Amino acid sequence: MYSTGYHDHGTPVATAEKLVTLEIDGVPVTVPEGTSIMRAAASVGNDVPKLCATDTLKAFGSCRLCLVEIEGRRGYPASCTTLVADGIKVKTQGHKLSQLRNSVMELYLSDHPADCGSTSASARCEVHDMAAKLGVTGMRYGVGGKNHLRAAKDESNPYFTFDQSECIVCSRCVRACDEVQGTLALTIQGRGFSSKVSASQNESFFESECVSCGACVEACPTGALAEKSLIQIGPPTKVTTTTCAYCGVGCSFNAESKNDEVVRMVPNRDGHANHGHACVKGRFAYGYATHPDRITTPMIRKSIDDPWRQVSWEEAINYAAGEFKRIQAKYGRDSIGGITSSRCTNEETFLVQKLVRAAFGNNNVDTCARVCHSPTGYGLKNTIGESAGTQNFDSVMKSDAIILVGANPTEGHPVFASRMKQRLRQGAKLIVIDPREIALVKTPHIEAQLHLPVRPGTNVALFNSIAHVIVTEGLTKDDYVAERCEIDSYNKWKAFVAEDRNSPENTASSTGVKAELVREAARMYAKAGNGAIYYGLGVTEHSQGSTMVMCIANLAMATGNVGREGVGINPLRGQNNVQGSCDMGSFPHEFSAYRHVSDDATRAMFEKDWGVPLLAEPGLRIPNMFEAALDGSFKGMYIQGEDPAQSDPDTHHVTAAFKAMECIVVQDLFLNETAKYAHVFLPGSSFLEKNGTFTNAERRVSPVRKVMEPRGGFEDWEITVLLSNALGYPMHYRHPSEIMDEIARLTPTFSTFSYEKLDRLGSIQWPCTDEAPEGTPTMHVGHFVRGKGKFFVTEFVPTSERATRKYPLLLTTGRILTQYNVGAQTRRTSNVTWASADVLEIHPHDAETRGIKDGDTVGLTSRSGEIVLPAQVTDRVRPGVVYTTFHFPESGANVVTTENSDWATNCPEYKVTAVEIVKVNQPSEWQKRFHEFTDHQLELLKGREATHA
Ligand code: SF4
Ligand code: SF4
Ligand code: SF4
Ligand code: FES
């Protein structure tokens, strides 16, 4: 067995400033007040035996193994629940202590499988570890008496098993579900011998409230709760610390492996973003990496109606390069472009944009952030000077009032949601602004103080009315603003929001939110000591997405809520590296660190380093590339790790553009929807097969480290290098660390970043500079990055997409916990056990007037197209609003979304589409064509083996 090197101190760290000195076994120890004796002893390498204690959970004091003696005190207190005190003298060893501990240990062993060492899970059984440590080899009680050794197993969860026979009822799982995850799905039922762990109301794990985060499994000291993969594959032989490739939380994991196979993903307790927690996706849904659907050999074809031909890497790369050169010779330099991936590493993204700028010789590069958080970049850059969130996740533990707008963290950012719930249970107030009643509005354990069910498309009007209350009721922090912001802009903004038309009473008819709710929300946020705003795609994916980000920044600045812990403007980024892909210069108008291509000094620096002249004019954005393709002037694309055919709006338009191109090169794991229109397929590598870094929503750059060899032979950055070399622009990197050195050399916010430093610190939040050599957890401390903060007047311009007689309902979209984005990964894991199709949520009133019942098949029509989905009748959505997800390509949610987009960034207006719903009994025309096309493409794929030379 390997060791992760993690030292469990038994109880959580205490953070008091006051220090206390005591003596433990004759050794003086100084620790913060509030520390347990167990932790104090562990801090000097003296680990007191324990079973029910672990340092991610509050002390519980049930196992009685950690007893100690304190001079002058009677009895034998438990060291996990007894706190240090100045001058006390503690003994952790002694004859009487050994006797007491050994008796306890013998009792445990009498009801614990003696042969559990033969099962892989118990490779980490702390009962046996502790018995060995105490020297207890036999027991006086025998195993013939009453015991749990034949108790039934619960195998209902696809990923882990519960074997009651190995349970010592230490309650660590119950506490983990409560304290770490915040779901409270587990209880200990019964008393004494009958006590046992129970999921919800004595249900199976699968049927219970459990969300499969795995926190209980991680906390269990025996094999009672264990990963099925661990039981099947056996104990791992290697551990690699890496970063989850799903969402923007960026959880750190210890990937445990054996013979190039992942045994399990264990959340890293030293991980700065997750502190040992995870969700069902990162913890368990990694099986897609070895799914048989993966394509691991390059393929080419002349036309999308030809069968794929399996070819060597050399032939595929030369073909792609030859086609790109031919197209540029025929149609001009600007006729090709590239899309970087928010799932690939920073290093890979940097190389793709470099390839486009230096080897293609144009600026036609863009990223999928275009369709999610580009308004964040624009809005925050203009107001506060940096296109990124202002805090770290831990900051939420100091918030007093939290506005959560257009985000659903329990589904989209689950580990952050658990942290937020911890703070809410400590008493922080929550204001949810969302058309839907998301889970955080009301759970059995936590309730939002306020829910403002805003009508889709009216966020700006609502935020203007919140600002109206804050300004007109004198709740602004004028001293803060006077010191840190452009006062003219502030005065203009103040005068604007104070206008009567922006009052909650006057905006209520458009936003659908009662004036009194708005007034309460405004007061709650502005009067809180620390007010924080967290937001998601429900803010950005609107025609006024950028305006709305500015509304948020205005509000935070006016109330003095930027520049310290507990406050701030916090975009919850969707994909694992969407922050990084933006930072690395993926937009057509910006180099890394958001510097405009027209800036002569910046361009000169890149030209010198890259040895080529670079264009000063921005290139095409993704939607412009599609328009140019339909016009006939754009003919080729290099797409790394993205699937615009599924993820971009108005599918008809996107696929027509793809059909109009002559060479589409897709680099991916699977034949995704875009690859069905491709001419060259280059097998990409999963996050488990590469080295590099991801940047999460907190600007935290974390290591991605290779766990297994790339199934296709190359890491993604190596493929870009091959393509660039074949295009005649040589790249000579031997390792991603060399790419990072180049990034650091050319990017002010990364100027002192290096792999050596990253390995030493574990993760680093940029800016990482001479002034902040170990990174920057909180930004804008003392002053804004742009110098003075700037307020913008945020006039509400209603979207042209409105409910009409023909399309009377508004469709909005989102995500669910177990599926991820376009679903290419999660659909290829057991996560489909929880969700195997997109559904349409509709309010009972709207359903009834249309004769629709729960489970009926319904047709959803917009001015762009029609799709068919199963209906779910629920009051989670308000009347007039329907909701769906886009995890399954055959549902085609983007067939109905429109071409509307944010005025500043072209971010699509995914969150508002006027639709009508009717009951139907067959798939839509689009769905029929989709199935025919998919079947045809799979046929063309099938023949590929035969063609391999
Ligand atoms: S399942 Fe594990 S963590 Fe839970 S009570 Fe039993 S032994 Fe303890
Ligand atoms: S997996 Fe997570 S949610 Fe489920 S019971 Fe365990 S801790 Fe609770
Ligand atoms: S919260 Fe996000 S980063 Fe963390 S494990 Fe889940 S999907 Fe991965
Ligand atoms: S570890 Fe202290 S009582 Fe269990």
Side-chain angles (χ1 to χ4, degrees):
M1 277 290 276
Y2 67 85
S3 161
T4 60
Y6 184 80
H7 181 197
D8 188 337
H9 285 62
T11 61
V13 68
T15 51
E17 279 178 19
K18 187 175 171 211
L19 297 177
V20 169
T21 298
L22 68 161
E23 202 178 287
I24 301 178
D25 295 335
V27 177
V29 184
T30 301
V31 289
E33 192 175 43
T35 303
S36 70
I37 289 176
M38 175 178 277
R39 188 169 181 108
S43 72
V44 290
N46 181 356
D47 288 336
V48 181
K50 63 182 189 317
L51 272 178
C52 68
T54 186
D55 61 11
T56 50
L57 304 172
K58 284 184 223 146
F60 191 56
S62 71
C63 75
R64 308 298 296 164
L65 211 60
C66 67
L67 308 181
V68 291
E69 286 180 80
I70 303 174
E71 199 176 285
R73 288 196 199 171
R74 291 180 58 184
Y76 301 93
S79 62
C80 62
T81 49
T82 309
L83 301 185
V84 293
D86 243 335
I88 60 169
K89 293 186 174 165
V90 178
K91 265 174 65 182
T92 69
Q93 306 293 336
H95 180 67
K96 186 63 191 168
L97 287 174
S98 290
Q99 259 187 345
L100 290 168
R101 288 174 186 155
N102 289 5
S103 305
V104 171
M105 202 65 240
E106 286 178 44
L107 268 173
Y108 275 118
L109 288 175
S110 71
D111 194 7
H112 196 72
D115 63 345
C116 77
S118 65
T119 70
S120 53
S122 50
R124 44 173 260 201
C125 177
E126 290 180 29
V127 174
H128 287 93
D129 289 352
M130 284 303 148
K133 182 172 176 171
L134 296 172
V136 178
T137 48
M139 61 198 150
R140 286 165 288 160
Y141 306 105
V143 290
K146 218 171 155 197
N147 60 46
H148 300 90
L149 298 178
R150 276 171 294 282
K153 282 188 192 176
D154 178 349
E155 302 268 13
S156 62
N157 187 289
Y159 295 119
F160 61 83
T161 176
F162 173 53
D163 182 351
Q164 204 198 324
S165 74
E166 293 198 27
C167 177
I168 58 170
V169 203
C170 67
S171 187
R172 269 162 66 163
C173 55
V174 178
R175 287 178 284 143
C177 194
D178 172 349
E179 294 170 29
V180 179
Q181 165 58 20
T183 294
L184 290 91
L186 302 179
T187 50
I188 301 282
Q189 288 201 339
R191 316 190 88 191
F193 177 82
S194 309
S195 58
K196 63 168 190 162
V197 172
S198 168
S200 294
Q201 302 309 311
N202 231 343
E203 290 161 305
S204 69
F205 270 82
F206 186 74
E207 289 160 334
S208 73
E209 290 165 74
C210 168
V211 292
S212 289
C213 69
C216 53
V217 183
E218 203 277 336
C220 181
T222 72
L225 281 161
E227 299 87 351
K228 289 181 176 174
S229 56
L230 176 66
I231 295 168
Q232 276 156 16
I233 304 170
T237 51
K238 192 176 114 186
V239 63
T240 313
T241 300
T242 191
T243 303
C244 179
Y246 279 115
C247 86
V249 178
C251 296
S252 175
F253 279 90
N254 288 319
E256 298 184 344
S257 61
K258 181 180 178 182
N259 302 333
D260 215 30
E261 184 177 18
V262 174
V263 174
R264 60 179 179 171
M265 297 289 282
V266 181
N268 179 10
R269 291 191 182 194
D270 285 328
H272 300 136
N274 57 323
H275 304 292
H277 193 30
C279 83
V280 61
K281 294 190 285 286
R283 179 78 154 95
F284 297 116
Y286 51 82
Y288 69 86
T290 48
H291 193 278
D293 283 356
R294 272 207 54 190
I295 296 174
T296 54
T297 311
M299 308 186 297
I300 60 175
R301 60 182 175 178
K302 187 77 192 149
S303 133
I304 66 164
D305 289 316
D306 289 343
W308 282 105
R309 216 158 55 78
Q310 214 166 245
V311 296
S312 66
W313 272 102
E314 194 185 5
E315 186 176 347
I317 293 287
N318 285 339
Y319 181 81
E323 280 294 279
F324 284 150
K325 283 196 223 170
R326 178 187 67 75
I327 289 170
Q328 282 191 307
K330 186 168 172 191
Y331 300 100
R333 184 193 62 197
D334 298 334
S335 58
I336 61 172
I339 300 184
T340 70
S341 173
S342 292
R343 298 191 194 162
C344 286
T345 63
N346 285 314
E347 293 77 359
E348 287 162 346
T349 303
F350 185 82
L351 277 205
V352 173
Q353 62 90 34
K354 177 175 178 178
L355 173 116
V356 170
R357 298 186 205 280
F360 289 1
N362 61 43
N363 283 325
N364 293 340
V365 62
D366 207 352
T367 173
C368 69
R370 167 74 51 219
V371 299
C372 65
H373 265 289
S374 49
T376 289
Y378 183 89
L380 296 187
K381 182 88 183 168
N382 279 288
T383 49
I384 58 176
E386 192 56 90
S387 302
T390 59
Q391 313 296 123
N392 62 10
F393 289 140
D394 287 347
S395 162
V396 78
M397 295 309 287
K398 295 196 173 158
S399 299
D400 300 310
I402 299 164
I403 291 183
L404 181 65
V405 48
N408 189 2
T410 51
E411 308 282 326
H413 301 83
V415 165
F416 173 68
S418 293
R419 186 86 47 85
M420 186 186 271
K421 283 197 256 182
Q422 286 168 4
R423 182 60 186 157
L424 296 176
R425 288 168 73 188
Q426 290 173 354
K429 296 189 165 69
L430 177 66
I431 302 154
V432 172
I433 301 178
D434 201 287
R436 286 175 78 231
E437 189 177 301
I438 60 167
L440 283 169
V441 170
K442 197 170 185 186
T443 73
H445 323 289
I446 298 163
E447 273 188 35
Q449 270 64 33
L450 299 171
H451 175 212
L452 280 52
V454 63
R455 183 170 291 136
T458 63
N459 284 337
V460 170
L462 181 70
F463 265 63
N464 284 344
S465 68
I466 293 175
H468 176 93
V469 177
I470 288 172
V471 166
T472 56
E473 295 191 6
L475 302 175
T476 51
K477 294 275 189 312
D478 287 350
D479 290 351
Y480 174 97
V481 175
E483 190 190 327
R484 299 182 45 143
C485 302
E486 288 183 6
I487 210 68
D488 283 356
S489 70
Y490 178 55
N491 288 335
K492 270 190 208 145
W493 172 79
K494 249 176 123 172
F496 161 71
V497 294
E499 287 175 30
D500 201 37
R501 65 193 170 105
N502 288 319
S503 74
E505 290 71 20
N506 285 333
T507 54
S509 60
S510 59
T511 64
V513 182
K514 289 186 192 124
E516 204 37 54
L517 273 181
V518 177
R519 290 195 176 273
E520 261 191 81
R523 291 168 194 147
M524 200 176 275
Y525 170 72
K527 288 183 179 175
N530 284 337
I533 304 178
Y534 289 82
Y535 71 89
L537 303 181
V539 158
T540 54
E541 289 177 345
H542 288 274
S543 60
Q544 279 203 291
S546 293
T547 314
M548 177 58 185
V549 173
M550 290 172 170
C551 285
I552 290 174
N554 289 340
L555 213 57
M557 289 189 293
T559 53
N561 277 316
V562 186
R564 61 182 188 280
E565 285 185 285
V567 299
I569 304 162
N570 304 279
L572 293 171
R573 300 281 187 156
Q575 305 200 65
N576 55 322
N577 201 35
V578 71
Q579 178 71 52
S581 76
C582 298
D583 300 340
M584 291 298 110
S586 291
F587 290 123
H589 63 295
E590 285 170 340
F591 291 116
S592 59
Y594 309 97
R595 289 160 300 160
H596 205 278
V597 291
S598 62
D599 181 71
D600 291 341
T602 306
R603 213 173 53 258
M605 181 169 70
F606 278 89
E607 285 177 337
K608 187 162 172 242
D609 204 274
W610 294 354
V612 283
L614 298 169
L615 293 185
E617 298 81 38
L620 297 174
R621 298 170 174 183
I622 293 172
N624 307 128
M625 292 186 209
F626 293 147
E627 274 154 33
L630 290 169
D631 285 352
S633 60
F634 189 83
K635 293 287 183 182
M637 259 181 142
Y638 172 44
I639 304 173
Q640 186 182 81
E642 282 304 326
D643 193 4
Q646 192 183 344
S647 61
D648 283 28
D650 200 353
T651 308
H652 293 300
H653 180 77
V654 174
T655 53
F658 281 144
K659 280 184 185 159
M661 291 188 218
E662 294 180 7
C663 182
I664 296 173
V665 178
V666 166
Q667 184 172 318
D668 218 295
L669 306 182
F670 306 103
L671 192 83
N672 60 20
E673 298 313 304
T674 304
K676 291 171 187 164
Y677 297 88
H679 307 88
V680 180
F681 186 91
L682 303 174
S685 48
S686 75
F687 80 111
L688 294 168
E689 298 157 41
K690 59 174 70 163
N691 290 304
T693 55
F694 292 150
T695 307
N696 75 354
E698 326 158 273
R699 296 169 279 105
R700 185 182 301 287
V701 185
S702 299
V704 179
R705 295 294 179 260
K706 196 193 283 189
V707 177
M708 52 172 74
E709 287 307 311
R711 294 308 197 237
F714 292 108
E715 299 179 36
D716 285 294
W717 64 271
E718 293 177 294
I719 301 167
T720 308
V721 167
L722 289 174
L723 184 59
S724 190
N725 290 342
L727 283 163
Y729 180 76
M731 292 185 181
H732 300 293
Y733 310 99
R734 289 160 302 176
H735 189 269
S737 60
E738 296 176 356
I739 307 172
M740 182 51 83
D741 291 343
E742 181 173 321
I743 293 167
R745 195 164 68 231
L746 294 169
T747 311
T749 42
F750 279 68
S751 63
T752 64
F753 196 100
S754 70
Y755 270 35
E756 178 281 317
K757 193 187 274 187
L758 182 63
D759 289 341
R760 184 159 42 83
L761 299 177
S763 67
I764 302 170
Q765 284 180 268
W766 66 257
C768 175
T769 58
D770 280 333
E771 295 74 48
E774 299 202 344
T776 312
T778 308
M779 289 191 82
H780 313 284
V781 177
H783 59 88
F784 288 103
V785 169
R786 94 178 273 287
K788 295 275 185 189
K790 183 169 181 178
F791 286 79
F792 281 77
V793 169
T794 51
E795 192 71 59
F796 172 55
V797 182
T799 169
S800 58
E801 189 69 15
R802 286 176 217 180
T804 59
R805 279 178 65 181
K806 188 170 179 195
Y807 300 117
L809 301 170
L810 291 179
L811 169 72
T812 188
T813 58
R815 300 176 183 201
I816 55 171
L817 170 68
T818 51
Q819 294 296 333
Y820 177 70
N821 206 23
V822 295
Q825 295 146 294
T826 42
R827 279 186 278 115
R828 292 180 171 96
T829 69
S830 296
N831 278 24
V832 289
T833 323
W834 287 281
S836 56
D838 294 314
V839 297
L840 184 84
E841 291 186 3
I842 181 166
H843 189 271
H845 174 74
D846 294 325
E848 196 187 340
T849 54
R850 290 165 177 78
I852 293 166
K853 296 198 186 59
D854 201 50
D856 278 353
T857 305
V858 294
L860 182 149
T861 316
S862 75
R863 63 187 167 85
S864 293
E866 188 201 357
I867 57 170
V868 170
L869 292 163
Q872 191 175 78
V873 180
T874 169
D875 55 12
R876 265 196 303 272
V877 287
R878 49 180 288 168
V881 176
V882 290
Y883 168 86
T884 191
T885 50
F886 51 92
H887 301 305
F888 294 85
E890 60 273 24
S891 17
N894 282 325
V895 170
V896 291
T897 51
T898 69
E899 75 292 349
N900 279 11
S901 65
D902 174 45
W903 62 272
T905 66
N906 269 160
C907 181
E909 192 178 39
Y910 287 126
K911 301 295 181 187
V912 196
T913 308
V915 296
E916 176 57 305
I917 316 287
V918 287
K919 207 169 146 180
V920 296
N921 54 17
Q922 59 171 331
S924 72
E925 285 308 311
W926 177 84
Q927 278 161 324
K928 286 182 201 159
R929 285 199 306 276
F930 170 84
H931 286 300
E932 273 166 29
F933 181 67
T934 299
D935 291 347
H936 175 56
Q937 287 300 323
L938 291 179
E939 270 309 306
L940 297 175
L941 181 68
K942 251 192 215 160
R944 74 192 192 279
E945 300 293 346
T947 60
H948 191 32

